[in-house]
Amino acid sequence: MDEDARRRHSSSFGAAATAYAEHRPDYAQAALRWALESAPGARVLDLGAGTGKLTATLAEVSGDVTAVEPDPEMLAELRRTVPDVRALSGSAEAIPLPDASVDAVVAGNAMHWFDMAVAGPEIARVLAPGGVLAGLWNVVDDRVDWVTGLAAVSGSAAIGPRDTPASWRVATATMHLPTTGEARFGSPEQAEFPHGQRRTADSLVATLATRAGMLVMPERERQEALDRIRAYLASRPETADGEFTLPMLTCALRVRRL
């Protein structure tokens, strides 16, 4: 994805902030505990925090959380849903915090939007010595037969290159590295943690509709894609009637500040 497309996709969420907050999943607590276990302290920054999906889980496992989000509509939703957490306007490329002020920086389904040539030095700046940068992604488990079919029907705009376990490992292995300039972090570690989300066919369609690739589609193409997904879910016994669990994993990438 070129830089213009990256910016267009990353800025698409504000218009869907309410739907994002309603339908996107939370994160497995075990993944967060793993991400933070080697941090030198308890001060955590949720970077690119969106509507607070990760922020809320972080608040349950750490008592000192700050959230930073660039989109004003997403930030307003975050402040509404997680009112006890300090939430600031800012971005990965311009973090409104002092030097060495946090022990860990985490990003939930957001790190792939960062320009690491700029964000890498900024994240390293706000991290204390020995601090940790961790990216978390919720992916669908396409080792389950009906999920494999869902991915095929949905297309890459809805279930893309980081949204299944095997492709996630490849896509994120070097995500902490800048395209230019000095590397600021050590060797990456990756881990996967079981997760799931209770859905109906309608709510799963609504969830997939909040993916960046879907949000930037022309409206006619978007509706055609959502109709295909809806028809597929209606055709499968696992998803045709009532609630079901969408099999997922919370996948985590962890690196230490050099």
Side-chain angles (χ1 to χ4, degrees), residues 21-140:
E22 180 179 357
H23 295 296
R24 284 294 185 104
D26 61 3
Y27 295 82
Q29 284 198 7
L32 263 181
R33 288 193 292 268
W34 178 86
L36 299 175
E37 67 185 5
S38 59
R43 301 169 300 170
V44 182
L45 167 62
D46 183 3
L47 189 56
T51 62
K53 288 291 181 178
L54 180 58
T55 314
T57 307
L58 271 171
E60 296 175 6
V61 301
S62 176
D64 189 351
V65 179
T66 299
V68 168
E69 166 58 35
D71 187 283
E73 293 175 273
M74 300 286 272
L75 182 60
E77 190 67 28
L78 187 159
R79 287 170 170 163
R80 186 185 70 81
T81 56
V82 197
D84 294 334
V85 169
R86 181 171 65 144
L88 306 174
S89 177
S91 68
E93 296 77 19
I95 302 171
L97 294 177
D99 295 358
S101 58
V102 297
D103 301 295
V105 173
V106 297
N109 276 79
M111 194 171 163
H112 49 276
W113 302 125
F114 299 170
D115 176 1
M116 288 303 292
V118 182
E122 263 294 89
I123 293 168
R125 178 185 66 79
V126 301
L127 277 171
V132 168
L133 167 63
L136 277 74
W137 289 264
N138 281 319
V139 307
V140 296

